[in-house]
Amino acid sequence: MYLFSTNALLYALVRTALISSIALTDVEAAKCGDFFYNECSKTDSDVRYDPDASIALKDQDPIWSKMEGFWIGNYTFFDGEGIPQASSTYDEAYGYGWPYGYADYRGAINITIIGSRLYQHNYFFYPPASSEFCNDNSDPPPGKLNAYGSGACGVNGGFKSFDAFGTSSHEKDGTMHSLPGAGTYADFVNIAYPVDGNTLLYTSTDDSSQFHSQINVFYPDDKTRTRTAYGFDYKSSGRSNPLFYSSLYREQKVTEEEFLKKLEEFSTMYNIPTEDVAPYPMKTTCLKGDWAGGVGAVCPTEDSFCDVDPACSQTPYSGAGPTVNAAKVGIFVALAFIILITIGVLLAWKAVRDVRVAARKKFQNAIGGSMVEWSSLNKSPKELLKIFESLDTNGNGLISRGELDHYTKEEGGLSDKELRILFADLDIDGSGGIDFAEFCAFMTMTDRARGNEAFEEDEA
């Protein structure tokens, strides 16, 4: 029973050591650089691999808090030569051309950021076309219009709208990736990159022929934004300069109440028919309707957001987490096993010793009474020989395993294990038989051991 308990204890200790070493590779709280883990590698310190890093735009870069809100401003749109863009008839088939003035028009932009997603709604108000343009285009060809909507050329201004939707990215560095927008710019995909605390760079392309860039600068304060934009047509023929437009936007951040008042003011200032202007406050998810930029517009779905939104799409950056330092773990496991083996050896030695002591006591009691009264040191050789011969039942001068077994079972009640250890102790030379000299030597050693035990008991 004692040996069983010892083995069970050893098993439990070994199992605990093994589980502890294995568990080092799967500890959620572990961090690279901890004692049993390697120092941080590039991957470990890369925010893209950090599952706890925020995907919220405003958490990733303060520029997005500056972007959010209601903006109103003055805008100028130039051609490739730096001259305000000329008015042109509107092509009904392609949605191209704009029969209104570009030199000084107005805009109102509402930007809302919720977590990883950005929602931008743009309202633009244009003054009526010049009398010169209206005279030159008083009878436009079929499919061409000198005014858009219900207004008249030179009398009413024009309204245009479009949306932009974007999300943060799996880069987790403050960049924003756009969804296909609604309206005129639906085919363009743009990415916005924070440059510094006051600057944001947009790049946009239709992946076909055009590339656009826009710089947003907040200066001298967070409520003042200046934007410059450029468009390049790198597949156009017959044009030496690929720049085909540039623009300048001067904007101020206002309250929602001021924003709604300005929408009304701009419509009135340019005499834009009410039915040609998108409703405000917005009553739909995006600016779809029967106005330029709203015709045929499709609001983004959750699925289209999840094509790019890190909140609901699979990250391409999946790190393995902190890596275990094999050398340190190896040393730890080796030391643990050395300690366990040492403990095991000591426990096993003690178990055998306890069995040996018990066997000797039972043997001596069987052949000579109590240990207090009996001592080989007080026995003459003849008395020892008499005891020896009582065990050597066949008289061949050797006590066999069978003779010892027979005697001790009858007289001492030794177990098989105790008998096995006792015989090994008596049979000093390992010949398989115990002669008289071995018997006397054993008895003498037993007396000395008994003396040591008595001394230990007295000390206790």
Side-chain angles (χ1 to χ4, degrees), residues 82-114:
I83 300 171
Q85 186 76 36
S87 302
S88 59
T89 56
Y90 182 79
D91 190 315
E92 292 184 285
Y94 296 100
Y96 185 79
W98 196 236
Y100 301 99
Y102 280 112
D104 186 20
Y105 61 99
R106 299 293 185 269
I109 298 174
N110 170 212
I111 299 174
T112 302
I113 299 174
I114 302 174

Side-chain angles (χ1 to χ4, degrees), residues 325-347:
N325 185 307
K328 289 183 178 179
V329 173
I331 293 172
F332 168 76
V333 173
L335 288 174
F337 272 105
I338 290 172
I339 293 171
L340 289 172
I341 291 171
T342 302
I343 292 172
V345 169
L346 291 174
L347 290 174

